[in-house]
């Protein structure tokens, strides 16, 4: 009798709990629908990477060619160069861009004047709201042959410098514009993580004679290290995903040897050239490499008890 009473009570509370959380489930339905419709369902289209896809025959009616598209992909010198360019630009973006939001967040956290802090935070966060078309237009205008930068260079050296037409300077501009646009948004994440650090730790360190550098090294960085690891793992997942907009608005034919990446190649060859199967194979390879890098990064982080899962 007691067992039945306990079972009935358990079911009652489970039902009541479900009813109480029903509004939350209803709010979650659009999120589930979004991922099913726009994320998981399109994965079925990856089958064209193993077919000779044509519009007339469709996804399921096109001829099965197995691994031929992947073989063609890795035997073409252009494809290998594009994969190399993507890796180079992505790894440079992670190595160069990743520390900036952390440093910016720490510096803003040390500012005591609230008006100055909020003003600087707003200014560095504002570029995140601009599209890459606007940012790219500003960058091209500044570094063009008759741009502001070349006006100054011409006054100093007597002749303008082709910033956008030299590979090393183009890469520098690419990295710098990415930092300028995204550092402010990422800094907010680290600023939120900094609020979880107990202020008494800084007071105790100050009483022991620790300066700002020692406090940052021994308290601040360890305190936000879980957030840094999570952001790094997520960044590694985007290593093969150099933003199409970012590259497309800055690239030109002269620097195509370094600026042609997977996303722009898929646009040019896949959408404009109609080679859907070949670019689907390239996109699938891109996703597999990104997944592998995420798993490796997380496995390394788990050794230090900082893994994402």
């Amino acid at each position: 009798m007691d067992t039945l009473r306990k079972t009935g009570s358990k079911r009652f509370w489970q039902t009541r709990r479900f009813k109480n959380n029903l509004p939350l489930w209803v709010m979650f339905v659009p999120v589930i629908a979004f991922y099913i419709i726009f994320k998981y369902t399109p994965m079925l289209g990856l089958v064209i990477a193993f077919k000779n896809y044509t519009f007339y025959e469709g996804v399921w009616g096109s001829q099965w060619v197995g691994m031929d598209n992947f073989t063609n992909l890795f035997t073409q010198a252009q494809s290998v160069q594009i994969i190399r360019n993507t890796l180079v630009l992505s790894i440079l973006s992670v190595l160069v861009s990743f520390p900036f939001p952390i440093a910016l967040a720490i510096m803003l956290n040390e500012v005591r004047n609230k008006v100055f802090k909020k003003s600087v935070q707003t200014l560095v966060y504002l570029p995140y709201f601009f599209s890459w078309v606007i940012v790219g237009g500003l960058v091209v205008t500044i570094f063009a042959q008759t741009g502001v930068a070349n006006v100054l260079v011409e006054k100093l050296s007597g002749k303008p410098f082709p910033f956008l037409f030299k590979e090393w300077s183009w890469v520098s501009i690419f990295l710098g514009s990415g930092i300028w646009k995204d550092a402010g948004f990422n800094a907010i994440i680290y600023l939120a993580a900094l609020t979880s650090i107990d202020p008494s730790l800084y007071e105790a360190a100050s009483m022991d004679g620790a300066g700002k550098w020692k406090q940052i090294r021994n308290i601040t960085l360890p305190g936000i290290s879980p957030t840094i690891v999570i952001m790094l793992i997520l960044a590694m997942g985007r290593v093969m995903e150099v933003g199409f907009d970012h590259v497309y608005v800055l690239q030109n034919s002269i620097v195509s040897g370094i600026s042609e990446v997977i996303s722009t190649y898929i646009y040019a060859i896949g959408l404009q050239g109609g080679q859907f199967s070949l670019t689907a194979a390239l996109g699938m390879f891109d996703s597999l490499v990104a997944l592998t890098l995420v798993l490796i990064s997380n496995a390394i982080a788990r050794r230090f008890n900082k893994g994402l899962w």
Side-chain angles (χ1 to χ4, degrees), residues 142 144-161 163:
I142 292 171
Q145 290 295 94
T146 56
V148 176
N150 266 318
V151 170
L152 298 175
V153 170
E154 191 171 3
K155 287 183 179 180
L156 295 174
S157 63
K159 59 179 181 179
F161 182 82
F163 289 102

Side-chain angles (χ1 to χ4, degrees), residues 16 28-29 41 50 55 86 94 107 126 130 142 173 179 207 210 236 282 294 299 302 305:
R16 185 175 180 180
F28 195 59
V29 166
T41 303
F50 305 95
F55 279 120
T86 304
V94 172
M107 288 189 289
L126 189 62
F130 297 154
I142 292 171
I173 293 171
I179 293 171
M207 292 177 64
M236 293 305 295
L282 181 59
V294 168
R302 286 181 62 185
N305 297 321

Side-chain angles (χ1 to χ4, degrees), residues 97 132 135 173-183 246:
S97 305
W132 272 114
V135 174
I173 293 171
F174 172 82
L175 296 175
S177 59
I179 293 171
W180 179 69
K181 188 175 187 301
D182 296 330
H246 189 183

Side-chain angles (χ1 to χ4, degrees), residues 26-65:
V26 173
M27 292 174 62
F28 195 59
V29 166
V31 178
I32 297 174
F34 171 81
Y35 276 91
I36 291 175
I37 296 172
F38 296 104
K39 298 295 183 180
Y40 291 101
T41 303
M43 288 183 183
L44 298 174
L46 286 174
V47 70
I48 69 173
F50 305 95
K51 293 190 171 189
N52 183 20
Y53 174 76
T54 61
F55 279 120
Y56 177 75
E57 295 174 324
V59 174
W60 307 112
S62 297
Q63 180 186 2
W64 182 271
V65 295

Side-chain angles (χ1 to χ4, degrees), residues 206-269:
S206 180
M207 292 177 64
D208 289 339
K212 287 297 181 183
W213 285 111
K214 287 187 176 180
Q215 291 178 25
I216 291 172
R217 187 172 65 250
N218 298 307
I219 298 174
T220 305
L221 290 177
I224 63 174
S225 59
T227 304
I228 293 175
V229 171
I230 291 173
M231 295 297 290
L232 181 60
I233 292 173
L234 294 176
M236 293 305 295
R238 296 191 296 269
V239 159
M240 295 293 287
E241 186 185 335
V242 181
F244 170 79
D245 296 339
H246 189 183
V247 178
Y248 189 74
V249 296
L250 295 179
Q251 72 175 179
N252 56 74
S253 58
I254 298 177
V255 293
S256 60
I258 190 64
S259 66
E260 193 71 47
V261 294
I262 289 177
S263 57
T264 57
Y265 182 73
I266 288 176
Y267 171 74
I269 303 301

